[in-house]
Amino acid sequence: MAFMEKPPAGKVLLDDTVPLTAAIEASQSLQSHTIVRRYSDFDLLNNSLQISGLSLPLPPKKLIGNMDREFIAARQKGLQNYLNAITTNHILSNCELVKKFLDPNNYSANYTEIALQHVSMFFRSEPKWEVVEPLKDIGWRIRKKYFLMKIKNQPKERLVLSWADLGPDKYLSDKDFQCLIKLLPSCLHPYIYRVTFATASESSALLIRMFNEKGTLKDLIYKAKPKDPFLKKYCNPKKIQGLELQQIKTYGRQILEVLKFLHDKGFPYGHLHASNVMLEGDTCRLLDLENSLLGLPSFYRSYFSQFRKINTLESVDVHCFGHLLYEMTYGRPPDSVPVDCFPPAPSMAVVAVLESTLSCEACKNGMPTVSRLLQMPLFSDVLLTTSEKPQFKIPSKLKEALRIAKECIEKRLVEEQKQIHQHRRLTRAQSHHGSEEERKKRKILARKKSKRSAIENNEEQSMKYNNSNNSGSGASSPLTSPSSPTPPSTAAALGLGKRCKGRPICITSTTATATSASTTSSSLASSEHRGACTALAPGCERCEPRGPAQFHPEFPERDSEESRNV
């Protein structure tokens, strides 16, 4: 597709930060949309992930006896543990290799080739630029690619070209989007990394910046080389060491100042992390302002989407600043968020800021503002010396477009948080009801209910028989003992032989002179009938007492005579 070509109308813009989970199932139980992978596929994925330096728990191969039932069950469990280790690692779960392995339908395209097509089309109209080499996988985004560039008349100067596809949060119109992208080179701020050139089509954006040999703030923390792949640089650092306290204070103050500047301008950001902060000496400069215009999801979206109080882009920036501060302090990201207990820090003032952004209470009640963080002791005494005056003029029409787009981004975030909250409630309920303790409780309650129901039914039947005995019309048929079984011929004479054939039935004929003892026997007989004939044929009524004149109402005398014969 050409660089300026309009994207297809039915194109789906995916959120690549949506976390994937995987469960190993037997082939017989595959009912929903799923994927089938052989062990060789897992082995190939594991070899591709070795660049991360992590020791992943892939179960070993077995040549003899690999079809035994016990071995298959053990391997299934081992592969599930392997997938859990991958999907719970924030960097691995977002990499292209894992996405293609778990979701090949949505991640089957070759994004490097797509980027090259767009970049080559761009160079046709801008012949002064030249590609030196592709910077393969230096970033974490699947749909964002980087190339090392140079200007033909300045061959020694190196630049970086970044190409990015649209994301699911792109709500600007094509015209406003292109105008705002072209405004980025005019943004001047001492703590924003300057854009040399920017252009956009209806489906992507392309920006050029100066290449920095020292790399980003994350490269400084992890002692990494900027050109190395993202997995190699940050998955398993050789040495974990945080920055010095003065560096933490200075860098933190500079980042908060630029966040406040963007918030005051009404420019949405939401993409703060250590790889988006470029270092030039002792100065931090923010990168990738275009991400929010493109609608790309944040690196930490899977974290803050869990907390319903983090529902604005301003609060997202503050929460992401907490992640960045933790990484600067301890030399690694937090194991989980919220953080219950913070390790010892160079100063208690650092812990105070971390608690206000990453603790359980902060995530539950909401984030402080950037202005509030600037007033905290960690940053309030930091003096910044800069002669560059901030400048970023946005026309009022585009400001309104940014405001509407920001509201749409926040609305999608709130809807996603609501769905996650409902899913967690449902999962907790299912887990609670599926526990062994709950099963035992339900069994005990079911037994008690069954016994209570049986007692109530017996009492009800006893009352019915008692009422029937007391309201008899004085029929003169002899009393049949309820404890003695009715002969088959009698059942046939009463018209019930075909209805309950093969089932023992106890029938009791009552008269007006029946005593209370016979009523009790009738109740017992009815109970015996109920236990013996639980699934009667249509028309067989087992619980209603019948006198001789009730079976054939058209021939009362004949029925009475037959009863006397019996």
Side-chain angles (χ1 to χ4, degrees), residues 24 26 91 183 228 243 248 260 269 271 276 289 321 340 356 359 406 414 420-421 489 515 517 539 550 564:
I24 305 295
I91 295 179
L183 270 181
D228 285 345
L243 304 180
I248 295 171
K260 187 176 184 302
Y269 186 53
H271 293 273
N276 274 352
L289 298 186
F321 178 78
D340 297 324
S356 68
S359 66
K406 177 177 175 292
V414 170
I420 292 173
H421 179 70
S489 59
T515 63
Q550 289 176 300
R564 291 191 186 93

Short mmCIF file of all heavy atoms in Angstrom, two decimals, residues 24 26 91 183 228 243 248 260 269 271 276 289 321 340 356 359 406 414 420-421 489 515 517 539 550 564:
data_model
loop_
_atom_site.label_atom_id
_atom_site.label_comp_id
_atom_site.label_asym_id
_atom_site.label_seq_id
_atom_site.Cartn_x
_atom_site.Cartn_y
_atom_site.Cartn_z
N ILE A 24 -3.56 -24.93 28.11
CA ILE A 24 -3.37 -26.17 27.37
C ILE A 24 -4.59 -27.06 27.58
O ILE A 24 -5.01 -27.30 28.70
CB ILE A 24 -2.11 -26.90 27.84
CG1 ILE A 24 -0.88 -25.97 27.75
CG2 ILE A 24 -1.87 -28.16 27.04
CD1 ILE A 24 -0.53 -25.58 26.35
N ALA A 26 -6.80 -30.72 26.13
CA ALA A 26 -6.76 -31.94 25.34
C ALA A 26 -7.46 -31.70 24.01
O ALA A 26 -8.38 -30.89 23.92
CB ALA A 26 -7.43 -33.09 26.09
N ILE A 91 7.33 -7.70 29.35
CA ILE A 91 8.04 -7.45 28.09
C ILE A 91 7.80 -8.59 27.10
O ILE A 91 7.49 -8.36 25.92
CB ILE A 91 9.54 -7.24 28.35
CG1 ILE A 91 9.75 -5.97 29.18
CG2 ILE A 91 10.30 -7.14 27.04
CD1 ILE A 91 11.21 -5.69 29.52
N LEU A 183 2.74 19.79 12.98
CA LEU A 183 3.04 20.83 13.97
C LEU A 183 4.17 20.43 14.92
O LEU A 183 4.78 21.30 15.56
CB LEU A 183 1.79 21.15 14.80
CG LEU A 183 0.85 22.24 14.31
CD1 LEU A 183 -0.31 22.41 15.28
CD2 LEU A 183 1.58 23.58 14.14
N ASP A 228 20.82 -2.40 20.32
CA ASP A 228 20.49 -3.81 20.57
C ASP A 228 18.98 -4.01 20.59
O ASP A 228 18.21 -3.07 20.87
CB ASP A 228 21.08 -4.26 21.90
CG ASP A 228 22.58 -4.50 21.81
OD1 ASP A 228 23.09 -4.59 20.67
OD2 ASP A 228 23.24 -4.57 22.86
N LEU A 243 19.72 4.61 40.17
CA LEU A 243 20.48 5.85 39.99
C LEU A 243 20.76 6.48 41.35
O LEU A 243 20.18 6.12 42.37
CB LEU A 243 19.70 6.81 39.10
CG LEU A 243 19.30 6.30 37.71
CD1 LEU A 243 18.54 7.39 36.96
CD2 LEU A 243 20.51 5.85 36.91
N ILE A 248 17.98 11.09 40.51
CA ILE A 248 16.55 10.82 40.63
C ILE A 248 15.77 12.13 40.80
O ILE A 248 14.74 12.35 40.16
CB ILE A 248 16.28 9.86 41.81
CG1 ILE A 248 16.91 8.49 41.54
CG2 ILE A 248 14.79 9.73 42.06
CD1 ILE A 248 16.87 7.56 42.73
N LYS A 260 3.58 18.79 33.04
CA LYS A 260 2.72 19.92 33.39
C LYS A 260 2.52 20.84 32.18
O LYS A 260 1.42 21.36 31.94
CB LYS A 260 3.31 20.69 34.56
CG LYS A 260 2.40 21.79 35.11
CD LYS A 260 3.02 22.44 36.33
CE LYS A 260 2.06 23.46 36.94
NZ LYS A 260 1.67 24.52 35.97
N TYR A 269 -0.90 12.95 26.38
CA TYR A 269 0.34 12.19 26.22
C TYR A 269 0.08 10.72 26.58
O TYR A 269 -0.26 9.92 25.74
CB TYR A 269 1.45 12.80 27.06
CG TYR A 269 2.80 12.14 26.82
CD1 TYR A 269 3.31 12.01 25.54
CD2 TYR A 269 3.56 11.64 27.87
CE1 TYR A 269 4.54 11.40 25.31
CE2 TYR A 269 4.79 11.05 27.67
CZ TYR A 269 5.27 10.92 26.37
OH TYR A 269 6.48 10.31 26.14
N HIS A 271 2.14 8.28 27.49
CA HIS A 271 3.10 7.28 27.03
C HIS A 271 4.45 7.41 27.73
O HIS A 271 5.50 7.14 27.15
CB HIS A 271 3.30 7.42 25.51
CG HIS A 271 2.09 7.07 24.73
ND1 HIS A 271 1.79 5.80 24.31
CD2 HIS A 271 1.05 7.84 24.31
CE1 HIS A 271 0.65 5.79 23.66
NE2 HIS A 271 0.17 7.02 23.64
N ASN A 276 11.09 6.20 26.63
CA ASN A 276 10.62 7.41 25.95
C ASN A 276 11.21 8.67 26.55
O ASN A 276 10.67 9.76 26.39
CB ASN A 276 9.08 7.49 25.99
CG ASN A 276 8.44 6.72 24.85
OD1 ASN A 276 9.13 6.26 23.95
ND2 ASN A 276 7.13 6.59 24.90
N LEU A 289 5.78 12.20 21.20
CA LEU A 289 4.52 12.93 21.40
C LEU A 289 3.47 12.49 20.38
O LEU A 289 2.27 12.66 20.61
CB LEU A 289 4.75 14.44 21.28
CG LEU A 289 5.69 15.11 22.28
CD1 LEU A 289 5.68 16.62 22.09
CD2 LEU A 289 5.33 14.74 23.70
N PHE A 321 4.52 7.83 35.76
CA PHE A 321 5.68 8.45 36.41
C PHE A 321 6.08 7.64 37.65
O PHE A 321 7.28 7.53 37.95
CB PHE A 321 5.35 9.89 36.82
CG PHE A 321 6.46 10.58 37.53
CD1 PHE A 321 7.55 11.09 36.84
CD2 PHE A 321 6.44 10.71 38.92
CE1 PHE A 321 8.60 11.72 37.51
CE2 PHE A 321 7.47 11.34 39.61
CZ PHE A 321 8.55 11.85 38.89
N ASP A 340 2.78 -3.45 47.66
CA ASP A 340 2.42 -3.46 49.08
C ASP A 340 3.53 -2.92 49.98
O ASP A 340 3.27 -2.21 50.94
CB ASP A 340 2.06 -4.89 49.52
CG ASP A 340 0.84 -5.42 48.78
OD1 ASP A 340 -0.07 -4.62 48.51
OD2 ASP A 340 0.81 -6.61 48.46
N SER A 356 2.44 7.44 46.83
CA SER A 356 1.33 8.26 46.31
C SER A 356 0.93 7.88 44.89
O SER A 356 -0.10 8.33 44.39
CB SER A 356 1.72 9.74 46.34
OG SER A 356 2.75 10.01 45.41
N SER A 359 1.00 2.62 45.44
CA SER A 359 0.51 1.82 46.57
C SER A 359 -0.95 1.41 46.34
O SER A 359 -1.64 1.92 45.44
CB SER A 359 0.61 2.62 47.86
OG SER A 359 -0.26 3.75 47.82
N LYS A 406 -9.29 13.37 23.26
CA LYS A 406 -8.92 12.99 24.61
C LYS A 406 -10.10 12.39 25.36
O LYS A 406 -9.97 11.37 26.06
CB LYS A 406 -8.37 14.21 25.36
CG LYS A 406 -8.01 13.98 26.81
CD LYS A 406 -7.42 15.24 27.41
CE LYS A 406 -7.17 15.08 28.91
NZ LYS A 406 -8.41 14.96 29.69
N VAL A 414 -12.38 3.82 30.27
CA VAL A 414 -13.37 3.56 31.32
C VAL A 414 -14.19 2.31 30.99
O VAL A 414 -14.46 1.47 31.86
CB VAL A 414 -14.28 4.79 31.51
CG1 VAL A 414 -15.46 4.45 32.40
CG2 VAL A 414 -13.49 5.96 32.09
N ILE A 420 -13.21 -5.27 32.69
CA ILE A 420 -12.24 -6.02 33.49
C ILE A 420 -12.76 -6.23 34.90
O ILE A 420 -12.63 -7.31 35.48
CB ILE A 420 -10.89 -5.27 33.51
CG1 ILE A 420 -10.26 -5.30 32.12
CG2 ILE A 420 -9.94 -5.88 34.53
CD1 ILE A 420 -9.01 -4.46 32.00
N HIS A 421 -13.39 -5.19 35.46
CA HIS A 421 -13.95 -5.30 36.82
C HIS A 421 -15.04 -6.37 36.88
O HIS A 421 -15.08 -7.20 37.80
CB HIS A 421 -14.49 -3.94 37.24
CG HIS A 421 -15.12 -3.93 38.61
ND1 HIS A 421 -14.37 -4.06 39.76
CD2 HIS A 421 -16.42 -3.82 39.00
CE1 HIS A 421 -15.18 -4.04 40.81
NE2 HIS A 421 -16.42 -3.88 40.38
N SER A 489 -55.52 -58.85 39.71
CA SER A 489 -56.86 -58.86 39.11
C SER A 489 -57.68 -57.69 39.59
O SER A 489 -58.47 -57.12 38.84
CB SER A 489 -57.56 -60.18 39.45
OG SER A 489 -57.66 -60.32 40.87
N THR A 515 -61.04 -45.36 61.19
CA THR A 515 -60.49 -44.82 62.44
C THR A 515 -59.22 -44.05 62.14
O THR A 515 -58.68 -44.06 61.04
CB THR A 515 -60.20 -45.97 63.41
OG1 THR A 515 -59.21 -46.81 62.82
CG2 THR A 515 -61.44 -46.75 63.70
N ALA A 517 -56.37 -44.86 63.19
CA ALA A 517 -55.29 -45.80 62.91
C ALA A 517 -55.21 -46.10 61.43
O ALA A 517 -54.14 -46.22 60.85
CB ALA A 517 -55.50 -47.09 63.71
N GLY A 539 -51.52 -40.49 33.35
CA GLY A 539 -52.84 -40.82 33.88
C GLY A 539 -52.81 -41.55 35.18
O GLY A 539 -53.84 -41.80 35.78
N GLN A 550 -65.13 -43.62 42.98
CA GLN A 550 -64.38 -42.55 42.33
C GLN A 550 -63.65 -43.02 41.10
O GLN A 550 -63.17 -42.20 40.34
CB GLN A 550 -63.37 -41.96 43.32
CG GLN A 550 -64.04 -41.15 44.42
CD GLN A 550 -63.02 -40.66 45.41
OE1 GLN A 550 -62.34 -41.47 46.03
NE2 GLN A 550 -62.93 -39.36 45.56
N ARG A 564 -66.95 -54.80 46.82
CA ARG A 564 -67.41 -55.77 47.82
C ARG A 564 -66.86 -57.16 47.51
O ARG A 564 -66.51 -57.92 48.41
CB ARG A 564 -68.94 -55.80 47.85
CG ARG A 564 -69.55 -54.51 48.40
CD ARG A 564 -71.05 -54.70 48.67
NE ARG A 564 -71.67 -53.47 49.05
CZ ARG A 564 -72.25 -52.62 48.22
NH1 ARG A 564 -72.30 -52.91 46.92
NH2 ARG A 564 -72.78 -51.50 48.64
#
